[in-house]
């Protein structure tokens, strides 16, 4: 696949993380453009409350162009529109130690 700079085509959808206000978004919830209540730009693939963040998080696919961190979106949760913000993943950085290959623990 060629980069778009070299004449290639961009992917149609991008996987994003979303922090959702209010009730957690679940699989199948529609992701809407922030400025338009009718413009469906994607779907949630999974979502749940995050005890570590103290917020509701979701992951889904959106149309190319809406994938930048900080982009405001709407999420249709149980018939109500909720505010959401696209964020980088992973939501919480891993802070574990991984032993280098070929070394022995101290």
């Amino acid at each position: 696949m060629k980069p778009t700079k070299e004449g290639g085509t961009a992917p149609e959808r991008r996987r994003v993380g979303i922090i959702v206000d209010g009730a957690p978004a679940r699989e199948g919830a529609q992701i809407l453009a922030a400025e338009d209540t009718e413009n469906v730009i994607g779907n949630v693939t999974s979502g749940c409350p995050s005890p570590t963040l103290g917020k509701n998080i979701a992951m889904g696919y959106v149309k190319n162009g809406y994938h930048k961190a900080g982009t405001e979106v709407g999420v249709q949760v149980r018939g109500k529109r909720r505010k959401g913000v696209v964020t980088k993943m992973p939501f919480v950085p891993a802070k574990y130690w991984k032993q280098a290959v070929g070394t022995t623990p101290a």
Side-chain angles (χ1 to χ4, degrees):
M1 183 174 204
K2 284 182 166 180
T4 53
K5 294 178 206 172
E6 298 176 10
T9 58
E12 293 179 19
R13 303 182 307 157
R14 299 282 188 107
R15 185 173 62 105
V16 296
I18 302 171
I19 295 179
V20 182
D21 292 341
R26 303 294 185 179
E27 179 183 2
Q30 293 180 331
I31 303 171
L32 310 164
E35 68 279 352
D36 188 1
T37 58
E38 301 297 319
N39 186 11
V40 177
I41 59 169
N43 289 305
V44 171
T45 57
S46 63
C48 65
S50 169
T52 304
L53 294 175
K55 300 175 182 178
N56 294 317
I57 59 173
M59 188 170 58
Y61 285 95
V62 296
K63 289 180 184 177
N64 195 20
Y66 291 94
H67 66 282
K68 302 283 186 187
T71 302
E72 292 185 6
V73 295
V75 182
Q76 196 74 21
V77 180
R78 298 186 201 133
K80 293 183 180 177
R81 184 185 173 96
R82 305 286 184 186
K83 289 183 181 179
V85 177
V86 174
T87 187
K88 291 184 178 185
M89 293 195 300
F91 294 100
V92 179
K95 294 184 179 179
Y96 57 86
W97 177 78
K98 187 174 179 181
Q99 181 177 338
V101 177
T103 62
T104 56

